[in-house]
Amino acid sequence: MTDAKPKPFIAGNWKMNGLKASAGELVQVMAGYAPALRAKVDLAICPPATQLIPFALAALGSRVAIGAQDCHAKASGAHTGDLSAEMIADTGASHVIVGHSERRTDHAETDAIVRAKAEAAWRAGLVAILCIGETEAERRGGTTLSVVDTQLEGSVPDGASAANLVIAYEPVWAIGTGLVPSNEDIAEVHAHIRQRLVARFGAEGEGMRILYGGSVKPSNAGEILRIENVDGALVGGASLKAADFLGIAAAYA
Ligand code: 13P
């Protein structure tokens, strides 16, 4: 890929939400993903691991991609409770989120671990949705851009391409709080990420999608998704209801 602007991508991260009964939401998303919308935006849903197989089966042929929320770096072995990228690919899923701030915090995932997970995703043929973002203290301390630099350098493996990597910029303080950075702040960080990706990966970096995540909802999606270098969104809470998720995607309609 050279100078083509990336096709927008909206991914829903269901986190630890969703039982069998929530499959209806996926059905509604697929029903609302009409050809005109498909032409403009790619969609993915990342349900909990328990729903990967039914969701991947249900989504076959729909063009809604299914992703997992984490993977182990190894392909197999004695790692109780973990799922390998190969297992995720085996369900029919095509994407995996790595390095979400909740995993970095709850499971002490370092940049090196996240990097290994992204490499595992590629080994299994999955697209890695790799999350970075500053804490509230880092934002207040004025270190946002250097935090993002460290995370990009430490977490993104060599060999990244527009096809195998999606970056999600998610300020930790904006996740699930209803707080959103100003448009100027989002624009600044996304432009910075773009510049870093291009510096490291050349023209390929122009095509890599950089999603914004953190309290995205239908009412603010239009404004956020218009910002330069924002190529879509990683959506938590508002992705649990098909109407809200489609309402966000409709910003591109
Ligand atoms: P919310 O959209 O609920 O703020 O979550 C964002 C997020 O963490 C997506 O990965």
Side-chain angles (χ1 to χ4, degrees), residues 13 15 97 100 102 170 174-177 213-216 234-238:
N13 174 10
K15 308 191 179 183
I97 298 170
H100 192 282
E102 287 150 15
E170 301 203 305
I175 294 175
T177 58
S215 298
V216 177
L234 183 56
V235 185

Side-chain angles (χ1 to χ4, degrees), residues 68-119:
Q69 299 172 12
D70 177 49
C71 66
H72 195 280
K74 298 261 172 64
S76 62
H79 301 287
T80 303
D82 278 314
L83 294 180
S84 70
E86 283 75 2
M87 290 167 173
I88 291 164
D90 194 44
T91 68
S94 53
H95 291 63
V96 61
I97 298 170
V98 295
H100 192 282
S101 64
E102 287 150 15
R103 301 243 12 131
R104 289 177 185 264
T105 304
D106 296 357
H107 300 274
E109 290 191 6
T110 61
D111 284 329
I113 291 173
V114 176
R115 185 184 186 110
K117 289 183 174 199
E119 282 170 340

